[in-house]
Amino acid sequence: MFDAQGSQHVVYRGTDSHIHELWWYDNWHHADLTNNSGAPAAAGDPAGYMFDAQGSQHVVYRGTDNHIHELWYDGAWHHSDLTNDSGGAPTAVGDPAGYMFDAQDSQHVVYRGTDSHIHELWCG
């Protein structure tokens, strides 16, 4: 549930390796988030969360380049390569999970890296 809009959302990786969203607001809608944001194709399944402090939606996934990518919505869809933006995080071999931490007004993404360690990317 995305409280800021009073809507429900489902994200998934399609057979086209794009990240798709279904959302309910009066009826069901569909969007190709990969096309809408100019993001690269997905190799793994996405995870979504909302960030209350910003009133924004976030989707994280492992791309075909094994980087962790983030899509976020603040009125339009945007893309970031979190692996590049982090300044040296290892590439991923597992799908990420993302969440917000209200007490610190922060966002976190965890995933398994090529070194078989669990890594965390965060901002806040």
Side-chain angles (χ1 to χ4, degrees):
M1 180 70 148
F2 185 40
D3 292 331
Q5 291 181 342
S7 54
Q8 301 174 48
H9 300 259
V10 176
V11 292
Y12 64 95
R13 177 176 46 127
T15 56
D16 58 359
S17 297
H18 286 199
I19 302 298
H20 294 269
E21 175 189 38
L22 300 174
W23 79 95
W24 175 264
Y25 183 78
D26 295 330
N27 57 34
W28 283 104
H29 303 271
H30 167 263
D32 182 331
L33 303 186
T34 301
N35 280 342
N36 291 352
S37 65
D45 295 325
Y49 65 95
M50 62 180 187
F51 187 38
D52 290 331
Q54 293 178 347
S56 56
Q57 299 175 60
H58 298 261
V59 176
V60 292
Y61 69 95
R62 181 173 49 92
T64 54
D65 57 1
N66 290 321
H67 287 200
I68 301 298
H69 294 273
E70 176 188 32
L71 307 174
W72 80 95
Y73 181 82
D74 64 358
W77 282 101
H78 308 277
H79 165 258
S80 289
D81 181 330
L82 298 183
T83 302
N84 280 344
D85 294 348
S86 70
T91 56
V93 294
D95 294 337
Y99 64 94
M100 65 171 177
F101 185 37
D102 281 331
Q104 293 182 345
D105 254 358
S106 58
Q107 300 174 67
H108 303 260
V109 176
V110 293
Y111 68 97
R112 184 168 56 96
T114 51
D115 58 3
S116 295
H117 292 193
I118 301 300
H119 294 274
E120 178 183 31
L121 305 170
W122 57 273
C123 70

